[in-house]
Amino acid sequence: MAETTTKTHSVTVSRHPLVVSWAGVTDVGRRRETNQDAFFAEYPLFIVADGMGGHAGGEIASQSTVARLEAMVTAGPVQRDEIQHALELAVGDIADHPEATDEGTGTTLTGLFLELDDEQPRWVALNIGDSRVYLLREDRLVQVTTDHSVVQELIAAGKISPEEAEGHPYSNVITRAVGSSELTPPDYVTLDVRVGDRFVICSDGLTKELTDYGIQHFLRENADAAAAVDAMLAAALENGGRDNVTLVVVQVDDDSSSTESATAE
């Protein structure tokens, strides 16, 4: 497996020093020849993209999208308008790429960023497609994002149960993507910043192999972000690794070792 390391960044929320730590990894899995997933994890943005569309198309789409968002982080503040602009540029990159000839070329995108509003940091989850953001808060795991998929629409309409969705023939069909056509904006969910919160950002290569209970179990058993990432990846591969597997764990702790914490900016 690829090496996983933990990174940290100190922030101040309501004059309280906190430390955000994170780790991420991507793996080709046990069944695929190429890895069409990509991720970026650098404060204040943490994202996962799962590409689709032909042998090269998915890799082009996911890497183009991640590259544009990485450039946005390097250039300045991470805001919703800037994310939208970066994604519009990614759509152009995908459309202009000589190997992106398949109309199905595109990528999911999901992730998390720290947004400043009146100097009060807040988490914002974003999502296009069926990659997911989970939150473990007060020992309870919840799915923050809502899948943009055919089966999710069927569940919402009451036509199938969540259990029936697992083996549904349309389980891999998504209804939104970042691709070579006009961009549909991400959905956003805003969350307050709390000590002890732990987020999992992942492609469906993880959730195909691990239940929500399994994700919760490995978070409980591994306090360090990198250790949790490694444990979940190992379990996903052991359970079959039928797809590329990508995940990022982000968590918030008291920065008790810091006497002069940096303000989030």
Side-chain angles (χ1 to χ4, degrees):
M1 297 191 304
E3 182 180 358
T4 307
T5 58
T6 303
K7 296 183 179 181
T8 63
H9 187 95
S10 295
V11 300
T12 297
V13 177
S14 301
R15 299 183 179 180
H16 189 75
L18 305 176
V19 60
V20 178
S21 57
W22 66 91
V25 71
T26 185
D27 191 282
V28 69
R30 296 279 174 83
R31 306 280 185 88
R32 302 294 178 93
E33 294 182 358
T34 60
N35 191 349
Q36 297 189 349
D37 286 3
F39 79 95
F40 174 76
E42 292 294 342
Y43 180 86
L45 179 67
F46 313 92
I47 52 169
V48 167
D50 179 357
M52 71 204 98
H55 184 71
E59 187 174 354
I60 292 164
S62 61
Q63 291 188 354
S64 297
T65 301
V66 167
R68 284 295 186 178
L69 290 166
E70 181 177 356
M72 176 200 67
V73 172
T74 302
V78 176
Q79 299 171 338
R80 300 184 200 201
D81 288 346
E82 297 302 321
I83 289 173
Q84 181 72 13
H85 179 61
L87 294 179
E88 288 169 353
L89 293 175
V91 167
D93 294 341
I94 295 165
D96 292 341
H97 198 286
E99 294 184 69
T101 56
D102 183 351
E103 290 183 359
T105 295
T107 183
T108 70
L109 175 69
T110 197
L112 190 71
F113 67 97
L114 203 61
E115 179 181 62
L116 284 173
D117 183 16
D118 297 328
E119 299 184 354
Q120 181 64 42
R122 299 181 301 174
W123 289 116
V124 180
L126 64 131
N127 187 54
I128 298 174
D130 64 352
S131 296
R132 296 175 177 176
V133 175
Y134 288 92
L135 167 62
L136 183 71
R137 174 176 283 181
E138 297 178 351
D139 207 36
R140 177 171 175 260
L141 188 77
V142 295
Q143 183 179 328
V144 176
T145 54
T146 300
D147 295 352
H148 300 133
S149 67
V150 170
V151 294
Q152 181 59 45
E153 291 182 355
L154 292 172
I155 292 170
K159 295 182 178 179
I160 64 172
S161 68
E163 291 74 23
E164 290 171 324
E166 295 296 328
H168 196 279
Y170 293 156
S171 60
N172 290 327
V173 180
I174 63 173
T175 55
R176 283 204 226 170
V178 182
S180 56
S181 59
E182 185 177 351
L183 176 70
T184 302
D187 287 342
Y188 294 102
V189 179
T190 303
L191 301 156
D192 59 332
V193 179
R194 294 193 192 179
V195 173
D197 279 356
R198 305 183 76 190
F199 294 92
V200 177
I201 305 160
C202 62
S203 65
D204 68 349
L206 181 73
T207 53
K208 285 176 182 176
E209 310 298 355
L210 286 183
T211 64
D212 290 6
Y213 177 80
I215 292 171
Q216 180 173 271
H217 166 76
F218 287 112
L219 287 174
R220 285 173 172 172
E221 293 296 311
N222 298 276
D224 176 72
V229 164
D230 288 343
M232 282 187 272
L233 175 58
L237 296 177
E238 184 177 342
N239 289 344
R242 292 168 289 174
D243 200 351
N244 309 144
V245 183
T246 303
L247 69 149
V248 178
V249 170
V250 181
Q251 54 197 54
V252 183
D253 297 294
D254 276 308
D255 193 2
S256 55
S257 63
S258 175
T259 56
E260 189 173 333
S261 178
T263 302
E265 61 182 8

